[in-house]
PDB file of all heavy atoms in Angstrom:
ATOM      1  N   ARG I 569      29.476 -13.568 -20.232  1.00  0.00           N
ATOM      2  CA  ARG I 569      29.534 -12.154 -19.816  1.00  0.00           C
ATOM      3  C   ARG I 569      28.172 -11.480 -19.835  1.00  0.00           C
ATOM      4  O   ARG I 569      28.052 -10.296 -19.495  1.00  0.00           O
ATOM      5  CB  ARG I 569      30.500 -11.382 -20.706  1.00  0.00           C
ATOM      6  CG  ARG I 569      30.216 -11.488 -22.198  1.00  0.00           C
ATOM      7  CD  ARG I 569      31.211 -10.656 -22.981  1.00  0.00           C
ATOM      8  NE  ARG I 569      31.254 -11.005 -24.387  1.00  0.00           N
ATOM      9  CZ  ARG I 569      31.788 -10.234 -25.325  1.00  0.00           C
ATOM     10  NH1 ARG I 569      32.328  -9.081 -24.983  1.00  0.00           N
ATOM     11  NH2 ARG I 569      31.803 -10.616 -26.575  1.00  0.00           N
ATOM     12  N   TRP I 570      27.108 -12.210 -20.239  1.00  0.00           N
ATOM     13  CA  TRP I 570      25.785 -11.589 -20.347  1.00  0.00           C
ATOM     14  C   TRP I 570      24.972 -11.778 -19.069  1.00  0.00           C
ATOM     15  O   TRP I 570      23.886 -11.211 -18.950  1.00  0.00           O
ATOM     16  CB  TRP I 570      25.033 -12.191 -21.537  1.00  0.00           C
ATOM     17  CG  TRP I 570      25.924 -12.349 -22.738  1.00  0.00           C
ATOM     18  CD1 TRP I 570      26.286 -13.513 -23.349  1.00  0.00           C
ATOM     19  CD2 TRP I 570      26.599 -11.314 -23.449  1.00  0.00           C
ATOM     20  NE1 TRP I 570      27.137 -13.281 -24.395  1.00  0.00           N
ATOM     21  CE2 TRP I 570      27.354 -11.923 -24.484  1.00  0.00           C
ATOM     22  CE3 TRP I 570      26.661  -9.923 -23.329  1.00  0.00           C
ATOM     23  CZ2 TRP I 570      28.139 -11.212 -25.374  1.00  0.00           C
ATOM     24  CZ3 TRP I 570      27.446  -9.211 -24.221  1.00  0.00           C
ATOM     25  CH2 TRP I 570      28.176  -9.845 -25.223  1.00  0.00           C
ATOM     26  N   VAL I 639      19.734 -10.130 -26.639  1.00  0.00           N
ATOM     27  CA  VAL I 639      20.065 -10.386 -28.043  1.00  0.00           C
ATOM     28  C   VAL I 639      21.463 -10.977 -28.152  1.00  0.00           C
ATOM     29  O   VAL I 639      21.686 -11.998 -28.822  1.00  0.00           O
ATOM     30  CB  VAL I 639      19.953  -9.089 -28.871  1.00  0.00           C
ATOM     31  CG1 VAL I 639      20.452  -9.306 -30.299  1.00  0.00           C
ATOM     32  CG2 VAL I 639      18.514  -8.568 -28.879  1.00  0.00           C
ATOM     33  N   LEU I 640      22.423 -10.353 -27.495  1.00  0.00           N
ATOM     34  CA  LEU I 640      23.813 -10.823 -27.555  1.00  0.00           C
ATOM     35  C   LEU I 640      23.962 -12.202 -26.911  1.00  0.00           C
ATOM     36  O   LEU I 640      24.705 -13.057 -27.405  1.00  0.00           O
ATOM     37  CB  LEU I 640      24.724  -9.805 -26.873  1.00  0.00           C
ATOM     38  CG  LEU I 640      24.776  -8.418 -27.526  1.00  0.00           C
ATOM     39  CD1 LEU I 640      25.535  -7.437 -26.641  1.00  0.00           C
ATOM     40  CD2 LEU I 640      25.387  -8.479 -28.911  1.00  0.00           C
ATOM     41  N   PHE I 641      23.262 -12.412 -25.808  1.00  0.00           N
ATOM     42  CA  PHE I 641      23.288 -13.715 -25.131  1.00  0.00           C
ATOM     43  C   PHE I 641      22.782 -14.821 -26.055  1.00  0.00           C
ATOM     44  O   PHE I 641      23.395 -15.895 -26.157  1.00  0.00           O
ATOM     45  CB  PHE I 641      22.427 -13.632 -23.870  1.00  0.00           C
ATOM     46  CG  PHE I 641      22.079 -14.961 -23.258  1.00  0.00           C
ATOM     47  CD1 PHE I 641      23.014 -15.692 -22.546  1.00  0.00           C
ATOM     48  CD2 PHE I 641      20.792 -15.483 -23.402  1.00  0.00           C
ATOM     49  CE1 PHE I 641      22.680 -16.916 -21.980  1.00  0.00           C
ATOM     50  CE2 PHE I 641      20.453 -16.705 -22.839  1.00  0.00           C
ATOM     51  CZ  PHE I 641      21.400 -17.428 -22.128  1.00  0.00           C
ATOM     52  N   VAL I 642      21.669 -14.577 -26.745  1.00  0.00           N
ATOM     53  CA  VAL I 642      21.112 -15.600 -27.634  1.00  0.00           C
ATOM     54  C   VAL I 642      22.054 -15.858 -28.807  1.00  0.00           C
ATOM     55  O   VAL I 642      22.301 -17.010 -29.183  1.00  0.00           O
ATOM     56  CB  VAL I 642      19.712 -15.189 -28.130  1.00  0.00           C
ATOM     57  CG1 VAL I 642      19.215 -16.152 -29.208  1.00  0.00           C
ATOM     58  CG2 VAL I 642      18.723 -15.150 -26.966  1.00  0.00           C
ATOM     59  N   ILE I 643      22.605 -14.788 -29.391  1.00  0.00           N
ATOM     60  CA  ILE I 643      23.550 -14.964 -30.493  1.00  0.00           C
ATOM     61  C   ILE I 643      24.743 -15.802 -30.051  1.00  0.00           C
ATOM     62  O   ILE I 643      25.155 -16.752 -30.733  1.00  0.00           O
ATOM     63  CB  ILE I 643      24.026 -13.592 -31.022  1.00  0.00           C
ATOM     64  CG1 ILE I 643      22.873 -12.834 -31.682  1.00  0.00           C
ATOM     65  CG2 ILE I 643      25.180 -13.767 -32.010  1.00  0.00           C
ATOM     66  CD1 ILE I 643      23.210 -11.395 -32.039  1.00  0.00           C
ATOM     67  N   ASP I 644      25.264 -15.469 -28.887  1.00  0.00           N
ATOM     68  CA  ASP I 644      26.505 -16.082 -28.413  1.00  0.00           C
ATOM     69  C   ASP I 644      26.283 -17.478 -27.839  1.00  0.00           C
ATOM     70  O   ASP I 644      26.929 -18.445 -28.256  1.00  0.00           O
ATOM     71  CB  ASP I 644      27.118 -15.158 -27.354  1.00  0.00           C
ATOM     72  CG  ASP I 644      28.484 -15.632 -26.876  1.00  0.00           C
ATOM     73  OD1 ASP I 644      29.137 -16.405 -27.598  1.00  0.00           O
ATOM     74  OD2 ASP I 644      28.885 -15.231 -25.764  1.00  0.00           O
ATOM     75  N   ARG I 645      25.340 -17.618 -26.899  1.00  0.00           N
ATOM     76  CA  ARG I 645      25.227 -18.847 -26.124  1.00  0.00           C
ATOM     77  C   ARG I 645      24.220 -19.840 -26.698  1.00  0.00           C
ATOM     78  O   ARG I 645      24.347 -21.040 -26.457  1.00  0.00           O
ATOM     79  CB  ARG I 645      24.840 -18.516 -24.673  1.00  0.00           C
ATOM     80  CG  ARG I 645      25.767 -17.503 -24.005  1.00  0.00           C
ATOM     81  CD  ARG I 645      27.177 -18.027 -23.886  1.00  0.00           C
ATOM     82  NE  ARG I 645      27.246 -19.086 -22.871  1.00  0.00           N
ATOM     83  CZ  ARG I 645      28.234 -19.954 -22.761  1.00  0.00           C
ATOM     84  NH1 ARG I 645      29.245 -19.918 -23.613  1.00  0.00           N
ATOM     85  NH2 ARG I 645      28.221 -20.865 -21.809  1.00  0.00           N
ATOM     86  N   VAL I 646      23.203 -19.343 -27.428  1.00  0.00           N
ATOM     87  CA  VAL I 646      22.223 -20.240 -28.039  1.00  0.00           C
ATOM     88  C   VAL I 646      22.593 -20.532 -29.492  1.00  0.00           C
ATOM     89  O   VAL I 646      22.611 -21.680 -29.931  1.00  0.00           O
ATOM     90  CB  VAL I 646      20.799 -19.660 -27.950  1.00  0.00           C
ATOM     91  CG1 VAL I 646      19.794 -20.578 -28.650  1.00  0.00           C
ATOM     92  CG2 VAL I 646      20.390 -19.452 -26.494  1.00  0.00           C
ATOM     93  N   GLY I 647      22.918 -19.477 -30.251  1.00  0.00           N
ATOM     94  CA  GLY I 647      23.258 -19.652 -31.655  1.00  0.00           C
ATOM     95  C   GLY I 647      24.701 -20.031 -31.902  1.00  0.00           C
ATOM     96  O   GLY I 647      25.056 -20.421 -33.014  1.00  0.00           O
ATOM     97  N   ASP I 648      25.521 -19.893 -30.867  1.00  0.00           N
ATOM     98  CA  ASP I 648      26.960 -20.190 -31.006  1.00  0.00           C
ATOM     99  C   ASP I 648      27.539 -19.433 -32.205  1.00  0.00           C
ATOM    100  O   ASP I 648      28.290 -19.983 -33.004  1.00  0.00           O
ATOM    101  CB  ASP I 648      27.188 -21.690 -31.161  1.00  0.00           C
ATOM    102  CG  ASP I 648      28.660 -22.067 -30.981  1.00  0.00           C
ATOM    103  OD1 ASP I 648      29.387 -21.314 -30.308  1.00  0.00           O
ATOM    104  OD2 ASP I 648      29.078 -23.098 -31.540  1.00  0.00           O
ATOM    105  N   ALA I 649      27.149 -18.148 -32.302  1.00  0.00           N
ATOM    106  CA  ALA I 649      27.559 -17.325 -33.443  1.00  0.00           C
ATOM    107  C   ALA I 649      28.376 -16.137 -32.964  1.00  0.00           C
ATOM    108  O   ALA I 649      28.107 -14.978 -33.314  1.00  0.00           O
ATOM    109  CB  ALA I 649      26.326 -16.863 -34.224  1.00  0.00           C
ATOM    110  N   GLY I 650      29.379 -16.421 -32.165  1.00  0.00           N
ATOM    111  CA  GLY I 650      30.216 -15.359 -31.615  1.00  0.00           C
ATOM    112  C   GLY I 650      30.911 -14.527 -32.668  1.00  0.00           C
ATOM    113  O   GLY I 650      31.281 -13.375 -32.420  1.00  0.00           O
ATOM    114  N   ILE I 653      29.185 -11.284 -33.102  1.00  0.00           N
ATOM    115  CA  ILE I 653      29.459 -10.316 -32.042  1.00  0.00           C
ATOM    116  C   ILE I 653      30.815  -9.658 -32.251  1.00  0.00           C
ATOM    117  O   ILE I 653      30.994  -8.465 -31.960  1.00  0.00           O
ATOM    118  CB  ILE I 653      29.361 -10.993 -30.663  1.00  0.00           C
ATOM    119  CG1 ILE I 653      27.918 -11.446 -30.417  1.00  0.00           C
ATOM    120  CG2 ILE I 653      29.819 -10.042 -29.552  1.00  0.00           C
ATOM    121  CD1 ILE I 653      27.712 -12.217 -29.144  1.00  0.00           C
TER     122      ILE I 653
END
Side-chain angles (χ1 to χ4, degrees):
R569 54 179 163 163
W570 317 116
V639 173
L640 297 171
F641 166 75
V642 172
I643 293 171
D644 185 21
R645 306 297 289 163
V646 177
D648 193 25
I653 295 176

